[in-house]
Amino acid sequence: MTSTSNSGLALSLAASSLISEQDSQRFSTQAKAQRKPLTTFLIENQILSSRELADFCEQEYGVPLLDLDAFELGDIPPKYINQKLIEKHHALPIYLQGHTLYIAMADPTNVAALEEFGFNFGLHTEALLVEEEKLVRAIGKLLEHDQENLNVDDIDDADISGLEVADEQSRLDETVNSSDDDAPIVKYINKIMMDAIRRGASDLHFEPYEHKYRIRFRIDGILHEAATPPVNLASRFAARLKVMARLDIAERRLPQDGRIKLKLSRNRAMDMRVNTLPTMWGEKVVIRLLDSSAARLNIDQLGFDEEQKQLYQTALARPQGMILVTGPTGSGKTVTLYTGLNLLNTVERNISTAEDPIEINLPGVNQVQINPKAGLTFAGALRAFLRQDPDVVMVGEIRDLETAEIAIKAAQTGHLVLSTLHTNSAAETLTRMMNMGVPAFNIASSVTLIMAQRLARKLCEHCKQPDNIPEGELLKLGYSVQQVAAGIRLYRPCGCKECSGGYRGRIGIYEILSMSDNIARIIMQGGNSLLIAAQAQKEGMRTLRQAGLEKARLGITSLAEINRVTTN
């Protein structure tokens, strides 16, 4: 709705020789009826020229007349481009100097505009007089062709020249669905994706709200705001991303899943998993970046200590049995499993995996995408694997009794089985399986190793600083008397240009439970997770908390980070 508060200008015009008092009142009433500013009405009806009106206002109110065409609209700070205020008051913020926001307007008596812009942004405001026709043209250019707000001219084409959808059909779809008007949108999204890849983000969030559009990157497990483009571009962002992922751009009421494969260079491509979700203010799109290079991590880079690494390698070397990795979503379970599969991936072994979704392509491994709608479940895939002469089987997740029973059967009949569950600790994984209905003797005879894990952010080596903590506090945190007596030097994050808030990269923290005769006996007797954990610690298992404190003691991460990802 456009503001119609033009009484000041109407009175001034009535007192002048340009318009009679009677005409001034009539024009003002007609402008209000048409919900237009008086200045717009006068120019559209050729009562005054744009220049005549501007000269009158300059002389009447002593406000200097400026040429709006001399201003670059791309220089307007995006945070001050509020479409609702601009349209309501027919006024345009054009530049900020200190704590003063200068507002371009054809009617300098519109005090309400200055007050509302000032209140909305917490700044002092001053009017700049401009010609009505130039103001209309500038507002139209800014809002109707809002891609100008993206500042796409600032994008370095060299950064995105190699960025293309690798799939030939997807490129064809883009040609059909994209127009020249969408070119700035295409370049902007490409730039966002390149920024995310450069910064090592794992996820991109495109989020529409009522008055704001937000783009966030998840870096080292923490979300950071990356950009806030105009909210009125929300539908075009969603459409572009859906075209890239080969989704139905006409379907806005239901969630959709898709994939994008971006060719970054001749030898490198980035897989992306895309999900759309209808929200109150539009479609939210989340993209998971799946870098295949993560699957080639050396086991030494995961964060195991020597004893833990030896336990994992020993379990992988066994011809049969079950290795379970547990932890919350985003704790690095997939990377741990893929690293194990890479160690096993030789010509002599037949490896099959059932995943939902397939996150990383592993050459030499037979990967199956679960599709419940088509009837292909984890259990169904496992049954098929057992008829495919397998050596190693990976199940993305054990979600139900049927899948658990088939996986255990495979582990008991000469196959090595790797899988995941969602539990908080290694001991709880065993009781979870019993609660599913798996007989205790099957668990005790098939499970060989359980790893609970978390991911902690690593301190930046360029800026970390010593953190002085009293000895009494160290004891309360979980360090032993011997460790404190020997001297412990912890570090805290500071932040520099090389990192994100004092952290750079992540490392795994592990709790590894190896099945022993005593633990098998507790399981057979129906013992709970507390008894199992107590026995495992007697046999040398280091808990997640203890493993995390050791990482802090070695200066790899901070105590605050360990407190965030583990419990005391």
Side-chain angles (χ1 to χ4, degrees), residues 51-108:
R51 185 68 190 192
E52 285 176 332
L53 181 60
D55 289 339
F56 169 78
C57 289
E58 182 180 26
Q59 294 175 10
E60 182 72 17
Y61 303 112
V63 180
L65 176 63
L66 299 180
D67 182 6
L68 188 56
D69 289 344
F71 288 88
E72 289 289 339
L73 295 182
D75 293 338
I76 300 175
K79 64 191 290 187
Y80 302 127
I81 301 174
N82 185 312
Q83 181 178 354
K84 187 176 180 180
L85 290 181
I86 291 171
E87 291 179 336
K88 178 181 178 181
H89 294 294
H90 193 57
L92 183 65
I94 54 173
Y95 75 92
L96 179 71
Q97 186 174 33
H99 294 287
T100 300
L101 183 64
Y102 289 88
I103 312 293
M105 51 178 63
D107 176 13

Side-chain angles (χ1 to χ4, degrees), residues 28 38 77 161 202 227 369 391:
S28 182
L38 179 58
S161 59
S202 61
Q369 170 67 55
D391 295 300

Side-chain angles (χ1 to χ4, degrees), residues 410-425:
Q412 291 174 333
T413 55
H415 309 96
L416 181 62
V417 179
L418 291 79
S419 190
T420 72
L421 280 89
H422 289 283
T423 58
N424 291 324
S425 68

Side-chain angles (χ1 to χ4, degrees), residues 16-61:
S16 72
S17 58
L18 290 176
I19 301 175
S20 69
E21 182 175 352
Q22 184 179 358
D23 284 343
S24 176
Q25 292 177 353
R26 180 165 56 89
F27 295 152
S28 182
T29 301
Q30 290 176 350
K32 288 180 181 179
Q34 296 178 24
R35 305 174 75 84
K36 292 180 178 179
L38 179 58
T39 53
T40 303
F41 180 86
L42 295 173
I43 304 305
E44 287 182 349
N45 289 277
Q46 299 182 347
I47 298 162
L48 291 173
S49 71
S50 181
R51 185 68 190 192
E52 285 176 332
L53 181 60
D55 289 339
F56 169 78
C57 289
E58 182 180 26
Q59 294 175 10
E60 182 72 17
Y61 303 112

